[in-house]
Amino acid sequence: MADMFVKQAKQYAEARPNYPEELFKFIASKTPKHELAWDVGTGSGQAAASLAPIYKNVIATDTSPKQLEFAIKLPNIRYQLTPPTMSITELEQNVATQSSVDLVTIATALHWFDLPQFYKQVKWVLKKPNGVIAAWTYYWPEINESVDAVFKSFHFVDYEPFREPQPKLVENKYMSIDFPFEPVDGVDNTGPFDQFVLEKLMDLDDYLTFIRSSSGYQTAKNRGVELLTDNMMEKFKVAWNSDGQSKKVARFPLYLRIGKVEN
């Protein structure tokens, strides 16, 4: 995963939307204490920066040094480069000691992980009982009928051959992803919950930058294929300008899985 996002790390940091404050308030309301959070696959630190005002300390890890270069710097966030797999000793050295973490978050990255190995680590670091894990994702931006129609054709014809299998878990809204945890207080299952929506004001360049920041686009680029051809760019331009508004609010429905560990 780290290699896939190296080349577009700057684009990723600039193009991705910020997560809504209500998401973090909801998640934080499920952790009895707010001392230490671990944000895994932090990328450019968007989730870590939102956790920082709520939790005393945040450890934010990623396997990509290039992504961490663009991470948001705050006094109580410690960014840590980690290997793709860690032993318990490495986990203790790089992240935290056993049963010391209140919350583990994974923002738009869980589908890339070796889940059985990762969940062992989560259960080792989380406080018991009631340490919380929250993982969420979002899909492509929804703009309007005209733009979305062009994108649908682009996605299922041009983009499809270069998609990795993991993002298909995102397309399925994390409904089928393995998530072996107990429901948090106040809900009767672990989700996915869909009451949160991301919004970002975009112009056409922002929208195209978002597409270029995706894993499928990068895979195609690495194989010498330019998905955003002149013809495709013109189709997006015509659709984008059809309502006379250069900037539009892009909506990203968000899907949350949240659970806790027992004793």
Side-chain angles (χ1 to χ4, degrees):
M1 181 183 70
D3 290 342
M4 188 174 297
F5 289 105
V6 163
K7 292 182 180 178
Q8 78 269 36
K10 187 173 187 292
Q11 285 181 337
Y12 192 94
E14 293 174 348
R16 297 286 152 158
N18 293 321
Y19 302 112
E21 184 179 350
E22 293 76 18
L23 170 68
F24 297 96
K25 287 181 177 178
F26 174 78
I27 294 170
S29 73
K30 305 303 179 183
T31 62
K33 294 186 178 180
H34 301 115
E35 295 172 352
L36 180 60
W38 174 24
D39 185 44
V40 194
T42 195
S44 51
Q46 290 162 309
S50 294
L51 292 167
I54 305 172
Y55 289 83
K56 184 177 180 181
N57 290 292
V58 178
I59 169 71
T61 62
D62 205 281
T63 59
S64 168
K66 194 69 175 176
Q67 288 272 37
L68 293 177
E69 279 184 29
F70 298 99
I72 302 162
K73 307 300 189 293
L74 291 171
N76 64 330
I77 301 177
R78 176 169 68 88
Y79 288 103
Q80 179 69 47
L81 181 68
T82 56
T85 59
M86 287 187 286
S87 66
I88 291 298
T89 300
E90 290 172 320
L91 183 65
E92 188 169 18
Q93 290 173 343
N94 291 323
V95 181
T97 56
Q98 187 174 14
S99 303
S100 64
V101 174
D102 299 292
L103 172 68
V104 174
T105 56
I106 314 97
T108 324
L110 187 65
H111 47 284
W112 296 108
F113 291 2
D114 176 350
L115 293 180
Q117 177 65 24
F118 175 62
Y119 288 149
K120 287 179 185 177
Q121 296 175 347
V122 170
K123 291 175 180 179
W124 191 83
V125 299
L126 278 178
K127 290 179 179 177
K128 301 171 187 63
N130 300 324
V132 171
I133 174 173
W136 62 89
T137 190
Y138 57 84
Y139 204 35
W140 294 97
E142 299 173 356
I143 307 295
N144 60 28
E145 188 175 341
S146 298
V147 177
D148 294 349
V150 174
F151 178 79
K152 185 176 181 180
S153 174
F154 166 76
H155 183 255
F156 289 107
V157 177
D158 302 87
Y159 191 90
E160 177 67 25
F162 302 99
R163 282 207 303 164
E164 302 292 328
Q166 294 91 337
K168 292 182 180 180
L169 291 167
V170 175
E171 188 175 338
N172 198 34
K173 306 173 184 178
Y174 274 6
M175 285 190 289
S176 59
I177 203 164
D178 184 36
F179 198 75
F181 299 93
E182 298 299 315
V184 294
D185 295 343
V187 296
D188 58 7
N189 60 71
T190 63
F193 301 101
D194 61 359
Q195 67 261 45
F196 304 103
V197 177
L198 292 71
E199 292 186 343
K200 183 179 177 70
L201 190 63
M202 286 183 160
D203 60 20
L204 179 58
D205 285 342
D206 297 327
Y207 181 76
L208 296 174
T209 298
F210 184 92
I211 293 174
R212 293 187 183 102
S213 74
S214 68
S215 59
Y217 179 88
Q218 191 60 50
T219 297
K221 197 78 172 173
N222 290 341
R223 296 179 189 174
V225 177
E226 175 53 66
L227 293 178
L228 291 174
T229 61
D230 290 345
N231 182 51
M232 182 55 64
M233 296 269 279
E234 183 61 25
K235 289 181 180 179
F236 275 121
K237 183 178 179 181
V238 170
W240 193 274
N241 293 328
S242 62
D243 63 358
Q245 302 294 321
S246 61
K247 291 190 177 247
K248 310 185 195 312
V249 176
R251 297 180 74 259
F252 301 78
L254 188 148
Y255 308 101
L256 170 70
R257 300 295 302 268
I258 185 168
K260 66 180 181 179
V261 292
E262 299 291 355
N263 288 319

